[in-house]
Amino acid sequence: MKKWQAALSAATLSAALGGTLLSLTLSSEVSMRATLSQILIFVALAGFVASVALRPAGDRAAAVSRERSAVGEAEKHACDFSSVAANDQALQSLSELRDYLADPEKYARYGARMPRGVLLYGPPGTGKTLLARALAGEAGVPFFALAGSDFVEKYVGVGASRVRELFKKARKAGKCVIFIDEIDALGKRRDDMASDERDQTLNALLSEMSGFHTGDGVIVVAATNRIETLDPALLRPGRFDRQIEVPLPGKAERLSILRLHGANKPLSEDADLEALAEQTVGFSGASLENLMNEAALLAAASGEAAITGDDLNRAYLKLVAGADRPSAADERERRIIAIHEAGHALVSRCLTPENRLARVSILPAGHGAAGYNLTVPKERVMVGRDHLERQICVLLAGRAAEQAVFGEENLTAGASSDIARATEIAAGMVSELGMAGEPAVSLAALNRALGGVTGAAEQARALLSELYGRTLVLVESEIDALSALADALLESEALEGSAAEAILEAALSSERPESA
Ligand code: ADP
Ligand code: ZN
């Protein structure tokens, strides 16, 4: 595969489930093989930038916890509840625990049983570590942290002895918060890949936890991105029996997180955090923090008095799509990329007009993208069949545009990841959601119950080929609009969404086969 092909394939994952995906990470992390609730959450909120913007932040968080674990000593608390914006529910739950940590004996006198373990669960970067640390800070007690993966070693028994060591240190400290990040690494369901080492480690953790009494003032906080993979033994009463969801922030929460991280920075009049909150659907708190920091770096580099709206915008694009780079593609390749991208934009405009097109580019950006469509999805709580079908059409539109313009014999590898995403969604609709052919059958559940159930692949294929057919018809009937946008892209390389929409609008035929 030529370099540009690889690049193109990573590009324009327009609107996989809820918006533009410019990298492949999210799709592999949360695929349609995930549970229904995950799908819904993912579709509703995470579709978008999460993949791109999250990764650096997530990586960083992981690195930090690893650093900590190497030391394994109590941390000085540098934050409290005021360091956390949004997450009101989690804060409320934790403030009870803070009161308990302040005076555990009181609770013991009343015979109250405090939860020994609190499980924070939600997508990466939503502030779970921050919350645990803030709890310790608020209560003024030491904070011990380790990551689950630090416990799981090659040699049987090492993990278990690390657990005991950690708790021994914590016990010496008296009242404290013990934080275990990525608890799924050691608390995975035991049925799959049972490992002695993990079992021993988990058992050590459970027995250490049951050794505490209410009067001790020790709280174990664990965090996971994948609660559904946890061993049920962890969730039983007396263990991690208080579970607090830490979801991705909605628009109002994003605004308060942006404000919190903007508070220590000089912002100019035109730095519109509200607009930024609007266009950061799917961002986690960590991504938002990263965004504000990126904008500050840009402003500092250019020596401005304050962070401007333009800095925010550039930082946003840089995080979501990566910085523009000069293109190495030749003329023919540029034209293919332009047609491909214009195809996504056209079909997105026609079938999912509720999503706002933010930018279309045929310049190579980060993550190996040769070009991209950046769409800000509408935030939604529920996702319907029609919506998923339209998303599939938008994903397939790059390939359909290539076929419509260059013919079936000239297809490129550029659409490979679009197609993979579309196929995953279709497979999920068929097997999990009962949304193809048989509206009330989950083939996956049927298969779990009875085994040997077939037919899912055929149904998914039929669905995909029908949707591809529809997309191709749409693209062919709007070939003028497609060409107009592709020409504009070849001319200026990147277009603001509003400019691209205006070009499409002017060239679209009035009778569209499908109007949304
Ligand atoms: P998680 O543990 O859920 O992966 P972290 O707690 O490591 O996420 O979050 C990383 C950083 O992101 C925090 O240190 C903070 O700067 C920022 N952040 C995340 N959520 C919030 C929030 N609700 N309010 C303020 N900052 C947040
Ligand atoms: Zn594409």
Side-chain angles (χ1 to χ4, degrees), residues 350-388:
C350 292
L351 296 188
T352 55
E354 71 278 11
N355 296 342
R356 194 172 61 76
L357 191 58
R359 197 167 192 247
V360 188
S361 164
I362 60 163
L363 285 175
H367 311 280
Y372 61 87
N373 270 250
L374 179 60
T375 341
V376 181
K378 182 173 165 253
E379 245 158 319
R380 43 177 91 230
V381 180
M382 283 297 265
V383 56
R385 173 180 183 162
D386 182 55
H387 173 71
L388 290 175

mmCIF file of all heavy atoms in Angstrom, residues 350-388:
data_model
loop_
_atom_site.group_PDB
_atom_site.id
_atom_site.type_symbol
_atom_site.label_atom_id
_atom_site.label_comp_id
_atom_site.label_asym_id
_atom_site.label_seq_id
_atom_site.Cartn_x
_atom_site.Cartn_y
_atom_site.Cartn_z
ATOM 1 N N CYS A 350 -26.607 16.109 3.221
ATOM 2 C CA CYS A 350 -27.942 15.677 2.797
ATOM 3 C C CYS A 350 -28.628 14.789 3.833
ATOM 4 O O CYS A 350 -29.825 14.897 4.051
ATOM 5 C CB CYS A 350 -27.868 14.906 1.477
ATOM 6 S SG CYS A 350 -27.390 15.926 0.083
ATOM 7 N N LEU A 351 -27.890 13.903 4.461
ATOM 8 C CA LEU A 351 -28.545 12.897 5.304
ATOM 9 C C LEU A 351 -28.477 13.190 6.798
ATOM 10 O O LEU A 351 -29.313 12.721 7.555
ATOM 11 C CB LEU A 351 -27.936 11.507 5.042
ATOM 12 C CG LEU A 351 -28.117 10.933 3.640
ATOM 13 C CD1 LEU A 351 -27.632 9.494 3.603
ATOM 14 C CD2 LEU A 351 -29.564 11.015 3.201
ATOM 15 N N THR A 352 -27.468 13.910 7.212
ATOM 16 C CA THR A 352 -27.380 14.224 8.649
ATOM 17 C C THR A 352 -27.163 15.722 8.841
ATOM 18 O O THR A 352 -26.162 16.148 9.412
ATOM 19 C CB THR A 352 -26.232 13.443 9.336
ATOM 20 O OG1 THR A 352 -25.003 13.709 8.633
ATOM 21 C CG2 THR A 352 -26.474 11.960 9.335
ATOM 22 N N PRO A 353 -28.123 16.514 8.348
ATOM 23 C CA PRO A 353 -27.944 17.974 8.420
ATOM 24 C C PRO A 353 -27.931 18.497 9.852
ATOM 25 O O PRO A 353 -27.512 19.632 10.087
ATOM 26 C CB PRO A 353 -29.143 18.525 7.635
ATOM 27 C CG PRO A 353 -30.158 17.448 7.677
ATOM 28 C CD PRO A 353 -29.415 16.151 7.754
ATOM 29 N N GLU A 354 -28.372 17.650 10.803
ATOM 30 C CA GLU A 354 -28.341 18.108 12.203
ATOM 31 C C GLU A 354 -26.904 18.177 12.728
ATOM 32 O O GLU A 354 -26.624 18.837 13.713
ATOM 33 C CB GLU A 354 -29.197 17.188 13.080
ATOM 34 C CG GLU A 354 -28.633 15.784 13.331
ATOM 35 C CD GLU A 354 -28.923 14.806 12.187
ATOM 36 O OE1 GLU A 354 -29.379 15.262 11.113
ATOM 37 O OE2 GLU A 354 -28.675 13.604 12.368
ATOM 38 N N ASN A 355 -26.000 17.485 12.069
ATOM 39 C CA ASN A 355 -24.589 17.574 12.447
ATOM 40 C C ASN A 355 -23.965 18.768 11.735
ATOM 41 O O ASN A 355 -24.196 18.974 10.559
ATOM 42 C CB ASN A 355 -23.844 16.300 12.053
ATOM 43 C CG ASN A 355 -24.359 15.083 12.807
ATOM 44 O OD1 ASN A 355 -25.012 15.223 13.830
ATOM 45 N ND2 ASN A 355 -24.079 13.906 12.299
ATOM 46 N N ARG A 356 -23.188 19.518 12.468
ATOM 47 C CA ARG A 356 -22.617 20.726 11.871
ATOM 48 C C ARG A 356 -21.262 20.407 11.255
ATOM 49 O O ARG A 356 -20.367 19.897 11.923
ATOM 50 C CB ARG A 356 -22.464 21.805 12.931
ATOM 51 C CG ARG A 356 -22.197 23.186 12.373
ATOM 52 C CD ARG A 356 -22.265 24.228 13.491
ATOM 53 N NE ARG A 356 -21.263 24.004 14.529
ATOM 54 C CZ ARG A 356 -19.974 24.288 14.396
ATOM 55 N NH1 ARG A 356 -19.527 24.828 13.280
ATOM 56 N NH2 ARG A 356 -19.132 24.051 15.379
ATOM 57 N N LEU A 357 -21.148 20.731 9.982
ATOM 58 C CA LEU A 357 -19.868 20.522 9.315
ATOM 59 C C LEU A 357 -18.925 21.641 9.763
ATOM 60 O O LEU A 357 -19.238 22.813 9.636
ATOM 61 C CB LEU A 357 -20.093 20.581 7.801
ATOM 62 C CG LEU A 357 -18.950 20.130 6.906
ATOM 63 C CD1 LEU A 357 -18.547 18.702 7.217
ATOM 64 C CD2 LEU A 357 -19.369 20.240 5.435
ATOM 65 N N ALA A 358 -17.794 21.271 10.338
ATOM 66 C CA ALA A 358 -16.891 22.302 10.847
ATOM 67 C C ALA A 358 -15.743 22.585 9.875
ATOM 68 O O ALA A 358 -15.290 23.719 9.742
ATOM 69 C CB ALA A 358 -16.330 21.901 12.204
ATOM 70 N N ARG A 359 -15.271 21.566 9.185
ATOM 71 C CA ARG A 359 -14.148 21.791 8.290
ATOM 72 C C ARG A 359 -13.987 20.605 7.347
ATOM 73 O O ARG A 359 -14.211 19.462 7.738
ATOM 74 C CB ARG A 359 -12.857 21.959 9.100
ATOM 75 C CG ARG A 359 -11.711 22.587 8.327
ATOM 76 C CD ARG A 359 -10.607 22.990 9.307
ATOM 77 N NE ARG A 359 -9.613 23.844 8.689
ATOM 78 C CZ ARG A 359 -8.346 23.481 8.475
ATOM 79 N NH1 ARG A 359 -7.937 22.281 8.815
ATOM 80 N NH2 ARG A 359 -7.493 24.320 7.922
ATOM 81 N N VAL A 360 -13.620 20.896 6.129
ATOM 82 C CA VAL A 360 -13.266 19.838 5.187
ATOM 83 C C VAL A 360 -11.872 20.162 4.680
ATOM 84 O O VAL A 360 -11.589 21.294 4.311
ATOM 85 C CB VAL A 360 -14.224 19.778 3.975
ATOM 86 C CG1 VAL A 360 -13.932 18.538 3.140
ATOM 87 C CG2 VAL A 360 -15.671 19.787 4.421
ATOM 88 N N SER A 361 -10.999 19.166 4.685
ATOM 89 C CA SER A 361 -9.619 19.444 4.314
ATOM 90 C C SER A 361 -9.047 18.319 3.480
ATOM 91 O O SER A 361 -9.371 17.150 3.677
ATOM 92 C CB SER A 361 -8.782 19.623 5.593
ATOM 93 O OG SER A 361 -7.407 19.524 5.287
ATOM 94 N N ILE A 362 -8.206 18.676 2.520
ATOM 95 C CA ILE A 362 -7.469 17.637 1.792
ATOM 96 C C ILE A 362 -5.978 17.755 2.073
ATOM 97 O O ILE A 362 -5.146 17.276 1.324
ATOM 98 C CB ILE A 362 -7.739 17.689 0.268
ATOM 99 C CG1 ILE A 362 -7.330 19.038 -0.309
ATOM 100 C CG2 ILE A 362 -9.202 17.412 -0.021
ATOM 101 C CD1 ILE A 362 -7.181 19.009 -1.832
ATOM 102 N N LEU A 363 -5.679 18.404 3.181
ATOM 103 C CA LEU A 363 -4.281 18.470 3.615
ATOM 104 C C LEU A 363 -4.017 17.338 4.605
ATOM 105 O O LEU A 363 -4.867 17.032 5.425
ATOM 106 C CB LEU A 363 -4.003 19.799 4.307
ATOM 107 C CG LEU A 363 -3.876 21.015 3.399
ATOM 108 C CD1 LEU A 363 -3.717 22.266 4.239
ATOM 109 C CD2 LEU A 363 -2.700 20.844 2.448
ATOM 110 N N PRO A 364 -2.843 16.754 4.531
ATOM 111 C CA PRO A 364 -2.539 15.730 5.531
ATOM 112 C C PRO A 364 -2.547 16.363 6.916
ATOM 113 O O PRO A 364 -2.033 17.466 7.104
ATOM 114 C CB PRO A 364 -1.124 15.272 5.177
ATOM 115 C CG PRO A 364 -0.792 15.894 3.878
ATOM 116 C CD PRO A 364 -1.712 17.028 3.643
ATOM 117 N N ALA A 365 -3.161 15.677 7.840
ATOM 118 C CA ALA A 365 -3.176 16.175 9.215
ATOM 119 C C ALA A 365 -2.542 15.112 10.085
ATOM 120 O O ALA A 365 -1.815 14.259 9.590
ATOM 121 C CB ALA A 365 -4.611 16.469 9.622
ATOM 122 N N GLY A 366 -2.803 15.189 11.354
ATOM 123 C CA GLY A 366 -2.219 14.191 12.254
ATOM 124 C C GLY A 366 -2.840 12.822 12.022
ATOM 125 O O GLY A 366 -3.722 12.665 11.182
ATOM 126 N N HIS A 367 -2.371 11.841 12.726
ATOM 127 C CA HIS A 367 -2.958 10.506 12.720
ATOM 128 C C HIS A 367 -2.997 9.892 11.331
ATOM 129 O O HIS A 367 -3.897 9.124 11.004
ATOM 130 C CB HIS A 367 -4.367 10.548 13.304
ATOM 131 C CG HIS A 367 -4.426 11.276 14.615
ATOM 132 N ND1 HIS A 367 -4.061 10.697 15.809
ATOM 133 C CD2 HIS A 367 -4.755 12.555 14.901
ATOM 134 C CE1 HIS A 367 -4.187 11.588 16.766
ATOM 135 N NE2 HIS A 367 -4.601 12.709 16.251
ATOM 136 N N GLY A 368 -2.069 10.284 10.487
ATOM 137 C CA GLY A 368 -1.992 9.664 9.177
ATOM 138 C C GLY A 368 -3.110 10.034 8.231
ATOM 139 O O GLY A 368 -3.279 9.403 7.197
ATOM 140 N N ALA A 369 -3.878 11.054 8.574
ATOM 141 C CA ALA A 369 -4.989 11.413 7.704
ATOM 142 C C ALA A 369 -4.495 12.197 6.486
ATOM 143 O O ALA A 369 -3.681 13.091 6.605
ATOM 144 C CB ALA A 369 -6.006 12.242 8.485
ATOM 145 N N ALA A 370 -5.006 11.845 5.322
ATOM 146 C CA ALA A 370 -4.643 12.585 4.115
ATOM 147 C C ALA A 370 -5.605 13.730 3.884
ATOM 148 O O ALA A 370 -5.378 14.605 3.055
ATOM 149 C CB ALA A 370 -4.648 11.655 2.920
ATOM 150 N N GLY A 371 -6.672 13.724 4.600
ATOM 151 C CA GLY A 371 -7.686 14.751 4.496
ATOM 152 C C GLY A 371 -8.768 14.372 5.471
ATOM 153 O O GLY A 371 -8.711 13.297 6.053
ATOM 154 N N TYR A 372 -9.708 15.263 5.708
ATOM 155 C CA TYR A 372 -10.759 14.876 6.652
ATOM 156 C C TYR A 372 -11.977 15.768 6.549
ATOM 157 O O TYR A 372 -11.911 16.871 6.004
ATOM 158 C CB TYR A 372 -10.238 14.893 8.091
ATOM 159 C CG TYR A 372 -9.761 16.246 8.566
ATOM 160 C CD1 TYR A 372 -10.653 17.151 9.121
ATOM 161 C CD2 TYR A 372 -8.427 16.619 8.460
ATOM 162 C CE1 TYR A 372 -10.224 18.404 9.555
ATOM 163 C CE2 TYR A 372 -7.986 17.858 8.884
ATOM 164 C CZ TYR A 372 -8.894 18.744 9.435
ATOM 165 O OH TYR A 372 -8.470 19.976 9.852
ATOM 166 N N ASN A 373 -13.057 15.227 7.048
ATOM 167 C CA ASN A 373 -14.271 15.997 7.309
ATOM 168 C C ASN A 373 -14.387 16.112 8.806
ATOM 169 O O ASN A 373 -14.313 15.101 9.498
ATOM 170 C CB ASN A 373 -15.502 15.230 6.838
ATOM 171 C CG ASN A 373 -15.867 15.539 5.409
ATOM 172 O OD1 ASN A 373 -16.872 16.179 5.149
ATOM 173 N ND2 ASN A 373 -15.052 15.082 4.480
ATOM 174 N N LEU A 374 -14.594 17.292 9.283
ATOM 175 C CA LEU A 374 -14.795 17.442 10.720
ATOM 176 C C LEU A 374 -16.237 17.858 10.956
ATOM 177 O O LEU A 374 -16.651 18.923 10.534
ATOM 178 C CB LEU A 374 -13.833 18.493 11.254
ATOM 179 C CG LEU A 374 -13.933 18.800 12.734
ATOM 180 C CD1 LEU A 374 -13.658 17.552 13.546
ATOM 181 C CD2 LEU A 374 -12.943 19.888 13.100
ATOM 182 N N THR A 375 -16.981 16.987 11.579
ATOM 183 C CA THR A 375 -18.389 17.280 11.826
ATOM 184 C C THR A 375 -18.626 17.304 13.321
ATOM 185 O O THR A 375 -18.131 16.439 14.029
ATOM 186 C CB THR A 375 -19.296 16.176 11.250
ATOM 187 O OG1 THR A 375 -18.557 15.437 10.291
ATOM 188 C CG2 THR A 375 -20.511 16.759 10.623
ATOM 189 N N VAL A 376 -19.380 18.274 13.778
ATOM 190 C CA VAL A 376 -19.748 18.297 15.188
ATOM 191 C C VAL A 376 -21.121 17.668 15.299
ATOM 192 O O VAL A 376 -22.105 18.210 14.786
ATOM 193 C CB VAL A 376 -19.773 19.733 15.735
ATOM 194 C CG1 VAL A 376 -20.135 19.712 17.211
ATOM 195 C CG2 VAL A 376 -18.429 20.393 15.520
ATOM 196 N N PRO A 377 -21.199 16.509 15.929
ATOM 197 C CA PRO A 377 -22.481 15.825 15.973
ATOM 198 C C PRO A 377 -23.435 16.493 16.945
ATOM 199 O O PRO A 377 -23.002 17.135 17.900
ATOM 200 C CB PRO A 377 -22.114 14.431 16.458
ATOM 201 C CG PRO A 377 -20.880 14.637 17.267
ATOM 202 C CD PRO A 377 -20.156 15.789 16.662
ATOM 203 N N LYS A 378 -24.689 16.314 16.683
ATOM 204 C CA LYS A 378 -25.694 16.756 17.637
ATOM 205 C C LYS A 378 -25.626 15.803 18.818
ATOM 206 O O LYS A 378 -25.507 14.589 18.641
ATOM 207 C CB LYS A 378 -27.055 16.669 16.960
ATOM 208 C CG LYS A 378 -28.195 17.124 17.795
ATOM 209 C CD LYS A 378 -29.459 17.146 16.946
ATOM 210 C CE LYS A 378 -30.674 17.234 17.833
ATOM 211 N NZ LYS A 378 -31.431 16.015 17.923
ATOM 212 N N GLU A 379 -25.709 16.365 20.004
ATOM 213 C CA GLU A 379 -25.679 15.497 21.176
ATOM 214 C C GLU A 379 -27.015 14.796 21.291
ATOM 215 O O GLU A 379 -28.050 15.428 21.190
ATOM 216 C CB GLU A 379 -25.431 16.334 22.434
ATOM 217 C CG GLU A 379 -24.126 15.996 23.078
ATOM 218 C CD GLU A 379 -23.616 17.108 23.956
ATOM 219 O OE1 GLU A 379 -23.714 18.281 23.578
ATOM 220 O OE2 GLU A 379 -23.116 16.786 25.025
ATOM 221 N N ARG A 380 -26.996 13.500 21.464
ATOM 222 C CA ARG A 380 -28.275 12.822 21.579
ATOM 223 C C ARG A 380 -28.229 11.775 22.674
ATOM 224 O O ARG A 380 -27.191 11.240 23.024
ATOM 225 C CB ARG A 380 -28.690 12.202 20.255
ATOM 226 C CG ARG A 380 -27.576 11.494 19.513
ATOM 227 C CD ARG A 380 -28.081 10.855 18.242
ATOM 228 N NE ARG A 380 -27.999 11.717 17.080
ATOM 229 C CZ ARG A 380 -29.007 11.951 16.243
ATOM 230 N NH1 ARG A 380 -30.180 11.421 16.488
ATOM 231 N NH2 ARG A 380 -28.853 12.717 15.198
ATOM 232 N N VAL A 381 -29.401 11.505 23.203
ATOM 233 C CA VAL A 381 -29.486 10.549 24.297
ATOM 234 C C VAL A 381 -29.795 9.162 23.745
ATOM 235 O O VAL A 381 -29.284 8.162 24.210
ATOM 236 C CB VAL A 381 -30.596 10.968 25.282
ATOM 237 C CG1 VAL A 381 -30.680 9.979 26.427
ATOM 238 C CG2 VAL A 381 -30.319 12.364 25.801
ATOM 239 N N MET A 382 -30.616 9.131 22.739
ATOM 240 C CA MET A 382 -30.984 7.857 22.146
ATOM 241 C C MET A 382 -30.576 7.852 20.691
ATOM 242 O O MET A 382 -30.532 8.887 20.042
ATOM 243 C CB MET A 382 -32.500 7.664 22.219
ATOM 244 C CG MET A 382 -32.979 7.260 23.580
ATOM 245 S SD MET A 382 -32.308 5.665 24.040
ATOM 246 C CE MET A 382 -33.642 4.625 23.518
ATOM 247 N N VAL A 383 -30.312 6.690 20.199
ATOM 248 C CA VAL A 383 -29.965 6.614 18.803
ATOM 249 C C VAL A 383 -30.900 5.619 18.129
ATOM 250 O O VAL A 383 -31.184 4.558 18.655
ATOM 251 C CB VAL A 383 -28.494 6.212 18.624
ATOM 252 C CG1 VAL A 383 -28.196 4.923 19.326
ATOM 253 C CG2 VAL A 383 -28.153 6.108 17.168
ATOM 254 N N GLY A 384 -31.418 6.034 16.983
ATOM 255 C CA GLY A 384 -32.391 5.196 16.288
ATOM 256 C C GLY A 384 -31.779 4.515 15.076
ATOM 257 O O GLY A 384 -30.665 4.816 14.648
ATOM 258 N N ARG A 385 -32.541 3.592 14.569
ATOM 259 C CA ARG A 385 -32.119 2.843 13.408
ATOM 260 C C ARG A 385 -31.817 3.752 12.220
ATOM 261 O O ARG A 385 -30.792 3.620 11.546
ATOM 262 C CB ARG A 385 -33.249 1.876 13.057
ATOM 263 C CG ARG A 385 -33.063 1.130 11.786
ATOM 264 C CD ARG A 385 -34.273 0.241 11.610
ATOM 265 N NE ARG A 385 -34.143 -0.581 10.424
ATOM 266 C CZ ARG A 385 -34.872 -1.673 10.218
ATOM 267 N NH1 ARG A 385 -35.759 -2.044 11.122
ATOM 268 N NH2 ARG A 385 -34.717 -2.366 9.122
ATOM 269 N N ASP A 386 -32.745 4.695 12.014
ATOM 270 C CA ASP A 386 -32.576 5.603 10.895
ATOM 271 C C ASP A 386 -31.255 6.372 11.011
ATOM 272 O O ASP A 386 -30.520 6.535 10.045
ATOM 273 C CB ASP A 386 -33.762 6.573 10.892
ATOM 274 C CG ASP A 386 -33.690 7.524 9.731
ATOM 275 O OD1 ASP A 386 -33.601 7.032 8.597
ATOM 276 O OD2 ASP A 386 -33.705 8.752 9.964
ATOM 277 N N HIS A 387 -30.969 6.806 12.218
ATOM 278 C CA HIS A 387 -29.737 7.551 12.448
ATOM 279 C C HIS A 387 -28.517 6.682 12.132
ATOM 280 O O HIS A 387 -27.579 7.129 11.467
ATOM 281 C CB HIS A 387 -29.701 8.019 13.906
ATOM 282 C CG HIS A 387 -28.409 8.660 14.305
ATOM 283 N ND1 HIS A 387 -28.044 9.894 13.851
ATOM 284 C CD2 HIS A 387 -27.406 8.222 15.096
ATOM 285 C CE1 HIS A 387 -26.852 10.199 14.352
ATOM 286 N NE2 HIS A 387 -26.440 9.200 15.112
ATOM 287 N N LEU A 388 -28.527 5.457 12.607
ATOM 288 C CA LEU A 388 -27.384 4.581 12.346
ATOM 289 C C LEU A 388 -27.227 4.324 10.847
ATOM 290 O O LEU A 388 -26.120 4.304 10.312
ATOM 291 C CB LEU A 388 -27.544 3.258 13.103
ATOM 292 C CG LEU A 388 -27.392 3.359 14.623
ATOM 293 C CD1 LEU A 388 -27.695 2.026 15.287
ATOM 294 C CD2 LEU A 388 -25.982 3.818 14.987
#
